[in-house]
Amino acid sequence: EVQLVESGGGLVKPGGSLRLSCAASGFNFNTYSMNWVRQAPGKGLEWVSFISSSSTYTHYGDSVKGRFTISRDNAKNSLYLQMNSLRAEDTAVYHCVRDDSVWWGDILTGYYVHWFDPWGQGTLVTVSS
Amino acid sequence: DIQMTQSPSSLSASVGDRVTITCRASQGIRNDLGWYQQKPGKAPKHLIYAASTLQSGVPSRFSGSGSGTEFTLTISSLQPEDFATYYCLQHNSYPRTFGQGTKVEIK
């Protein structure tokens, strides 16, 4: 069974740091790109960050750029999110999400289409004094 | 950044109703759009990729359509287990962006 289990959430003061982990199982972790997506209490979903399968490429949302760092350890089937300079508005449930894709169209003009599946249950980060 | 405008933000419907949710992208995104369902206290569940392809195991009453900037999710006959919040997500470029969500409630 494909499974993603997050850990590392908790209560932290503004300006503090926290490191989230995501343990992956049931699939070849080293062949998939991964993402973090968060959801503030009572709010919608917000994409946070992406990392390619071999860590060559990373992307970040504007609200976390320069403060958060995504990384992975393929030998340990683990994904991480280092969060620094935390703010009250970073309070959210953070989900680890696998990035899946398939080639769409013919070999000359086709492209990859992507989707997020599965999602971990999430870990709650609360930033408050 | 690509903005995704989802409507309506909420709707009330009865079991058996046909329901349509719309997402509009601020620029063309081909068919790089997915739909996700979230129930309270649960992680989102993937329903549709490439705008119209049903994920394995998703009931056929769900369908998606559209390309470019206009997309729709349709539930042909609403079932009790379909009451949830639905989100669109563009996978065309970074940063990835979600629609604001549509909460489907029981009338």
Side-chain angles (χ1 to χ4, degrees), chain A residues 27-62:
Chain A
F27 66 101
N28 291 328
F29 180 73
N30 61 3
T31 65
Y32 285 87
S33 298
M34 298 294 294
N35 297 270
W36 287 98
V37 175
R38 69 184 181 183
Q39 186 169 35
K43 302 297 184 182
L45 300 169
E46 180 187 11
W47 173 81
V48 172
S49 185
F50 162 92
I51 187 166
S52 61
S53 58
S54 55
S55 304
T56 304
Y57 303 104
T58 59
H59 298 286
Y60 297 92
D62 292 342

Coordinates of all heavy atoms in Angstrom, one line a residue, chain A residues 27-62:
Chain A
F27 N 6.1 2.3 -2.6 CA 6.4 2.7 -4.0 C 7.9 3.0 -4.1 O 8.6 3.2 -3.0 CB 5.5 3.8 -4.5 CG 5.7 5.1 -3.8 CD1 6.5 6.2 -4.3 CD2 5.2 5.4 -2.5 CE1 6.7 7.4 -3.7 CE2 5.3 6.6 -1.9 CZ 6.1 7.6 -2.5
N28 N 8.4 3.1 -5.3 CA 9.8 3.5 -5.5 C 10.0 5.0 -5.3 O 9.9 5.8 -6.3 CB 10.2 3.1 -6.9 CG 10.3 1.5 -7.0 OD1 10.6 0.8 -6.1 ND2 10.0 1.0 -8.2
F29 N 10.2 5.4 -4.1 CA 10.3 6.8 -3.8 C 11.3 7.5 -4.7 O 11.0 8.7 -5.1 CB 10.7 6.9 -2.3 CG 10.8 8.3 -1.8 CD1 9.7 9.1 -1.5 CD2 12.1 8.9 -1.5 CE1 9.8 10.4 -1.0 CE2 12.2 10.1 -1.0 CZ 11.1 10.9 -0.8
N30 N 12.4 6.9 -5.0 CA 13.5 7.6 -5.7 C 13.1 7.9 -7.2 O 13.9 8.5 -7.9 CB 14.8 6.9 -5.6 CG 14.7 5.5 -6.2 OD1 13.7 5.1 -6.8 ND2 15.8 4.8 -6.1
T31 N 11.9 7.5 -7.6 CA 11.5 7.8 -9.0 C 10.4 8.8 -9.1 O 10.0 9.1 -10.2 CB 11.1 6.5 -9.7 OG1 9.9 6.0 -9.1 CG2 12.1 5.4 -9.7
Y32 N 10.0 9.3 -8.0 CA 8.9 10.3 -8.0 C 9.3 11.7 -7.4 O 10.1 11.7 -6.4 CB 7.8 9.8 -7.1 CG 6.9 8.7 -7.7 CD1 7.3 7.4 -7.6 CD2 5.8 9.0 -8.5 CE1 6.6 6.4 -8.2 CE2 5.0 8.0 -9.0 CZ 5.4 6.7 -8.9 OH 4.7 5.7 -9.4
S33 N 8.9 12.7 -8.1 CA 8.9 14.0 -7.5 C 7.9 14.1 -6.3 O 7.0 13.4 -6.3 CB 8.6 15.1 -8.5 OG 9.6 15.1 -9.6
M34 N 8.2 15.1 -5.4 CA 7.3 15.2 -4.3 C 7.0 16.7 -4.0 O 7.7 17.6 -4.5 CB 8.0 14.6 -3.0 CG 8.3 13.2 -3.1 SD 6.9 12.1 -3.1 CE 6.2 12.4 -1.5
N35 N 5.9 16.9 -3.2 CA 5.5 18.3 -2.9 C 5.1 18.4 -1.4 O 4.8 17.3 -0.8 CB 4.2 18.6 -3.7 CG 4.5 18.7 -5.2 OD1 4.8 19.7 -5.8 ND2 4.3 17.5 -5.9
W36 N 5.1 19.6 -0.9 CA 4.4 19.9 0.3 C 3.2 20.9 0.0 O 3.4 21.8 -0.8 CB 5.3 20.6 1.3 CG 6.4 19.7 1.9 CD1 7.7 19.5 1.5 CD2 6.2 18.8 3.0 NE1 8.3 18.6 2.3 CE2 7.4 18.2 3.2 CE3 5.1 18.5 3.9 CZ2 7.6 17.2 4.3 CZ3 5.3 17.6 4.9 CH2 6.5 17.0 5.1
V37 N 2.1 20.6 0.6 CA 0.9 21.4 0.4 C 0.4 21.7 1.8 O 0.3 20.8 2.6 CB -0.2 20.7 -0.4 CG1 -1.5 21.6 -0.5 CG2 0.3 20.5 -1.9
R38 N -0.1 22.9 2.1 CA -0.6 23.2 3.4 C -2.0 23.8 3.4 O -2.5 24.2 2.3 CB 0.4 24.2 4.1 CG 0.3 25.6 3.5 CD 1.4 26.5 4.3 NE 1.4 27.9 3.8 CZ 2.2 28.8 4.2 NH1 3.1 28.5 5.1 NH2 2.1 30.0 3.7
Q39 N -2.6 23.7 4.6 CA -4.0 24.2 4.7 C -4.1 24.8 6.0 O -4.1 24.2 7.1 CB -5.0 23.0 4.5 CG -6.4 23.5 4.5 CD -7.4 22.4 4.1 OE1 -7.2 21.2 4.4 NE2 -8.4 22.7 3.3
A40 N -4.3 26.2 6.1 CA -4.5 26.9 7.3 C -5.9 26.5 7.8 O -6.8 26.2 7.1 CB -4.4 28.4 7.0
P41 N -6.1 26.6 9.1 CA -7.4 26.3 9.7 C -8.6 27.0 9.1 O -8.6 28.2 9.0 CB -7.2 26.7 11.2 CG -5.8 26.7 11.4 CD -5.1 27.1 10.1
G42 N -9.5 26.2 8.6 CA -10.7 26.7 7.9 C -10.5 27.4 6.6 O -11.4 28.0 6.0
K43 N -9.3 27.2 6.0 CA -9.0 27.8 4.7 C -8.8 26.8 3.6 O -8.9 25.6 3.9 CB -7.7 28.7 4.9 CG -7.8 29.8 5.9 CD -8.9 30.8 5.6 CE -8.9 31.9 6.6 NZ -10.0 32.9 6.3
G44 N -8.5 27.2 2.4 CA -8.2 26.4 1.3 C -6.8 25.8 1.3 O -6.0 26.0 2.2
L45 N -6.6 25.1 0.2 CA -5.3 24.4 0.0 C -4.3 25.4 -0.6 O -4.6 26.2 -1.5 CB -5.4 23.2 -0.9 CG -6.4 22.1 -0.4 CD1 -6.6 21.1 -1.5 CD2 -5.8 21.5 0.8
E46 N -3.0 25.3 -0.2 CA -2.0 26.2 -0.7 C -0.7 25.3 -1.0 O -0.2 24.7 -0.1 CB -1.6 27.3 0.3 CG -0.5 28.2 -0.3 CD 0.0 29.2 0.8 OE1 -0.3 29.1 2.0 OE2 0.8 30.1 0.4
W47 N -0.3 25.3 -2.2 CA 0.9 24.6 -2.6 C 2.1 25.3 -2.0 O 2.2 26.6 -2.1 CB 1.0 24.5 -4.1 CG 2.3 23.9 -4.6 CD1 2.7 22.6 -4.6 CD2 3.5 24.7 -5.0 NE1 4.0 22.5 -5.1 CE2 4.5 23.7 -5.3 CE3 3.8 26.0 -5.1 CZ2 5.7 24.1 -5.8 CZ3 5.0 26.4 -5.6 CH2 6.0 25.5 -5.9
V48 N 3.1 24.6 -1.4 CA 4.2 25.2 -0.7 C 5.5 24.9 -1.5 O 6.3 25.9 -1.7 CB 4.3 24.6 0.7 CG1 5.6 25.0 1.4 CG2 3.1 24.9 1.5
S49 N 5.8 23.7 -1.9 CA 7.1 23.4 -2.5 C 7.1 22.1 -3.2 O 6.3 21.2 -3.0 CB 8.2 23.4 -1.3 OG 9.5 23.2 -1.9
F50 N 8.1 22.0 -4.1 CA 8.3 20.8 -5.0 C 9.8 20.5 -5.0 O 10.6 21.4 -5.0 CB 7.8 21.2 -6.4 CG 8.4 20.3 -7.5 CD1 7.7 19.2 -7.9 CD2 9.6 20.6 -8.1 CE1 8.1 18.4 -8.9 CE2 10.1 19.7 -9.1 CZ 9.4 18.6 -9.5
I51 N 10.0 19.1 -5.1 CA 11.4 18.7 -5.3 C 11.4 17.5 -6.3 O 10.5 16.6 -6.2 CB 12.1 18.3 -4.0 CG1 13.6 18.0 -4.3 CG2 11.4 17.1 -3.4 CD1 14.4 17.9 -2.9
S52 N 12.3 17.5 -7.3 CA 12.3 16.5 -8.3 C 12.9 15.2 -7.7 O 13.5 15.2 -6.6 CB 13.1 16.9 -9.5 OG 14.4 17.2 -9.1
S53 N 12.8 14.1 -8.4 CA 13.2 12.8 -7.9 C 14.6 12.7 -7.4 O 14.9 12.1 -6.4 CB 12.9 11.7 -8.9 OG 13.6 12.0 -10.1
S54 N 15.5 13.4 -8.1 CA 16.9 13.3 -7.7 C 17.4 14.6 -7.1 O 18.6 14.9 -7.0 CB 17.8 13.0 -8.9 OG 17.5 13.9 -10.0
S55 N 16.5 15.5 -6.7 CA 16.8 16.8 -6.0 C 17.4 17.8 -6.9 O 17.8 18.8 -6.5 CB 17.7 16.6 -4.8 OG 17.1 15.6 -3.9
T56 N 17.3 17.5 -8.2 CA 17.9 18.5 -9.2 C 17.2 19.8 -9.2 O 17.7 20.9 -9.3 CB 17.9 17.9 -10.6 OG1 18.6 16.6 -10.5 CG2 18.6 18.8 -11.6
Y57 N 15.8 19.7 -9.1 CA 15.0 20.9 -9.2 C 14.2 21.1 -8.0 O 13.6 20.1 -7.4 CB 14.0 20.8 -10.4 CG 14.8 20.6 -11.7 CD1 14.8 19.3 -12.3 CD2 15.4 21.6 -12.3 CE1 15.5 19.1 -13.5 CE2 16.1 21.4 -13.5 CZ 16.1 20.2 -14.1 OH 16.8 20.0 -15.3
T58 N 14.0 22.3 -7.5 CA 13.1 22.7 -6.4 C 12.4 23.9 -6.8 O 12.9 24.8 -7.6 CB 13.9 22.9 -5.1 OG1 14.8 24.0 -5.3 CG2 14.6 21.7 -4.6
H59 N 11.1 24.0 -6.3 CA 10.3 25.2 -6.5 C 9.6 25.6 -5.2 O 9.4 24.7 -4.4 CB 9.3 25.0 -7.6 CG 9.8 24.7 -8.9 ND1 10.4 25.7 -9.7 CD2 9.9 23.6 -9.6 CE1 10.8 25.1 -10.9 NE2 10.5 23.9 -10.8
Y60 N 9.3 26.9 -5.0 CA 8.7 27.3 -3.8 C 7.6 28.3 -4.1 O 7.6 29.1 -5.0 CB 9.7 28.0 -2.9 CG 10.8 27.1 -2.4 CD1 12.0 27.0 -3.1 CD2 10.6 26.3 -1.3 CE1 13.0 26.1 -2.7 CE2 11.7 25.4 -0.8 CZ 12.8 25.3 -1.6 OH 13.8 24.5 -1.2
G61 N 6.6 28.3 -3.2 CA 5.6 29.3 -3.3 C 6.1 30.7 -2.8 O 7.1 30.7 -2.0
D62 N 5.5 31.7 -3.3 CA 6.1 33.1 -3.0 C 6.0 33.3 -1.5 O 6.9 34.0 -1.0 CB 5.2 34.1 -3.7 CG 5.4 34.1 -5.2 OD1 6.4 33.5 -5.7 OD2 4.5 34.6 -5.9

